[in-house]
C-alpha cells in the first residue's frame, strides 16, 4: 500500500548475518511479484521474481517467499555484505488488468554494519 | 552501453516553467514507463506507453504529458511546474509482457 507520510522502515544487520525484508502487498489477485534493490543515486535493479503459482524461489544468496493467504512477501539475503546496503522494494502485477504496470510497496532501507 | 538512459540527471527550475525529461532505451523493448519517486522513496506509476496504447494514471495532473517519437524514446514534458513536482522521475522499459523491467538512473527535479 501507499506509504506517503510514513518514515522509511530501516533494518540494520551485522555483516555476515542473514537479512529478512518483509512486504505486504495490496491486491489479492496479483500473480507476479518482484523484488528490486535501489542504491543511492541509482534506479531500481531487479533482484528476483516469483509467480503466484510458487511459494518459494531461490537465487544467488537471495530467496523470495510468497504467502498468498496473508498477502505477504519476504526477501531473505544470506551472508549479508556491505554492498547489500540499499533500499529494497517489492512490486506486484496483476495480469488480468491487461497492464504491465508494477505497483510498488513501500521500501525498506537495509543498512549493513561492517 | 546504458540500457535505459535519462537526461538530464539533475534539473533545477523555477515555478511556472515548462521542462522536458528525455528517455531512451536500446533494449528493443516495446513498452516504456514513467515513475515518480517522492521524498519518502515511494514509487508510483505515471504512464505506460507501447506505441499503440497510452495508459495514464488518473492521479497524474494533465500538466504532465508523455511524448514518444519512436519505440525507443519516451520523453516527459511538464507544463507550469509546481513546487510539489519536485521528485525523482524514473523511466523504465520492458519487453512485451511484464517481465524484464529495466529502470533508468533517474532525473532529480527540483522546483524552486
Amino acid at each position: 500500500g501507499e506509504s506517503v507520510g510514513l518514515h522509511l522502515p530501516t533494518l540494520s544487520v551485522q555483516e555476515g548475518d542473514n537479512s529478512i525484508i518483509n512486504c505486504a502487498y495490496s491486491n489479492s489477485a496479483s500473480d507476479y511479484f518482484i523484488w528490486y534493490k535501489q542504491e543511492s543515486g541509482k534506479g531500481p535493479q531487479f533482484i528476483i521474481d516469483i509467480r503466484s503459482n510458487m511459494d518459494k524461489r531461490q537465487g544467488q544468496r537471495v530467496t523470495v517467499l510468497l504467502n498468498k493467504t496473508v498477502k505477504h512477501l519476504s526477501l531473505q539475503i544470506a551472508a549479508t555484505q556491505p554492498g547489500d546496503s540499499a533500499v529494497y522494494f517489492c512490486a506486484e502485477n496483476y495480469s488480468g488488468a491487461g497492464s504491465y504496470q508494477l505497483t510498488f510497496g513501500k521500501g525498506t532501507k537495509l543498512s549493513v554494519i561492517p | 552501453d546504458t540500457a535505459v538512459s535519462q537526461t538530464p540527471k539533475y534539473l533545477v527550475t523555477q515555478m511556472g516553467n515548462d521542462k522536458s525529461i528525455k528517455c531512451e532505451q536500446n533494449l528493443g523493448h516495446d513498452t516504456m514507463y514513467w515513475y515518480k519517486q517522492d521524498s519518502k522513496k515511494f514509487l508510483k506509476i505515471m504512464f505506460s506507453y507501447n506505441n499503440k496504447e497510452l495508459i495514464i494514471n488518473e492521479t497524474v495532473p494533465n500538466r504532465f504529458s508523455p511524448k514518444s517519437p519512436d519505440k525507443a524514446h519516451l520523453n516527459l514534458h511538464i507544463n507550469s511546474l509546481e513546487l510539489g513536482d519536485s521528485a525523482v522521475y524514473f523511466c523504465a522499459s520492458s519487453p512485451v509482457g511484464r517481465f524484464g523491467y529495466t529502470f533508468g538512473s533517474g532525473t532529480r527535479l527540483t522546483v524552486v
Side-chain angles (χ1 to χ4, degrees):
Chain A
E2 295 197 10
S3 63
V4 175
L6 299 178
H7 293 295
L8 192 66
T10 300
L11 174 68
S12 295
V13 175
Q14 202 74 35
E15 181 179 357
D17 287 352
N18 297 334
S19 303
I20 300 177
I21 301 170
N22 296 304
C23 175
Y25 62 91
S26 57
N27 185 353
S28 57
S30 290
D31 51 6
Y32 178 60
F33 306 89
I34 316 174
W35 278 101
Y36 282 91
K37 172 186 180 183
Q38 186 179 17
E39 296 175 279
S40 181
K42 297 184 179 180
Q45 284 182 289
F46 172 90
I47 302 174
I48 191 168
D49 59 1
I50 188 168
R51 302 189 197 201
S52 59
N53 60 355
M54 304 171 68
D55 53 21
K56 181 180 180 179
R57 190 165 188 223
Q58 288 184 293
Q60 187 178 13
R61 280 202 308 119
V62 294
T63 301
V64 56
L65 298 177
L66 174 62
N67 185 332
K68 293 183 289 293
T69 303
V70 295
K71 293 190 291 184
H72 184 267
L73 200 64
S74 68
L75 177 71
Q76 300 177 359
I77 305 174
T80 313
Q81 302 169 358
D84 295 327
S85 293
V87 177
Y88 290 81
F89 295 93
C90 66
E92 60 184 299
N93 174 260
Y94 167 47
S95 61
S99 163
Y100 307 134
Q101 297 173 358
L102 297 178
T103 300
F104 282 80
K106 61 183 180 182
T108 297
K109 183 177 181 180
L110 175 66
S111 294
V112 181
I113 305 165
Chain B
D1 282 344
T2 304
V4 180
S5 59
Q6 298 177 228
T7 54
K9 189 169 178 62
Y10 300 96
L11 180 56
V12 181
T13 188
Q14 290 187 321
M15 284 176 56
N17 283 350
D18 302 338
K19 290 292 179 185
S20 292
I21 305 172
K22 295 184 177 181
C23 179
E24 176 182 4
Q25 55 96 2
N26 62 6
L27 298 167
H29 287 171
D30 290 298
T31 307
M32 296 183 73
Y33 312 83
W34 279 104
Y35 281 80
K36 179 180 179 181
Q37 187 171 49
D38 64 23
S39 59
K40 302 298 183 187
K41 296 289 189 182
F42 186 68
L43 275 159
K44 193 167 185 180
I45 182 72
M46 298 177 71
F47 305 101
S48 63
Y49 192 83
N50 68 356
N51 275 347
K52 298 176 185 176
E53 186 179 14
L54 171 66
I55 301 174
I56 301 172
N57 184 321
E58 61 186 13
T59 67
V60 176
N62 58 16
R63 299 181 294 104
F64 290 77
S65 57
K67 298 186 189 303
S68 180
D70 55 57
K71 196 175 86 166
H73 296 84
L74 183 65
N75 304 324
L76 182 64
H77 190 75
I78 316 168
N79 289 329
S80 302
L81 278 155
E82 301 177 357
L83 292 176
D85 298 332
S86 295
V88 181
Y89 292 84
F90 286 99
C91 178
S93 70
S94 69
V96 174
R98 55 196 178 163
F99 311 109
Y101 245 81
T102 303
F103 281 84
S105 57
T107 296
R108 181 175 292 278
L109 171 65
T110 304
V111 182
V112 297

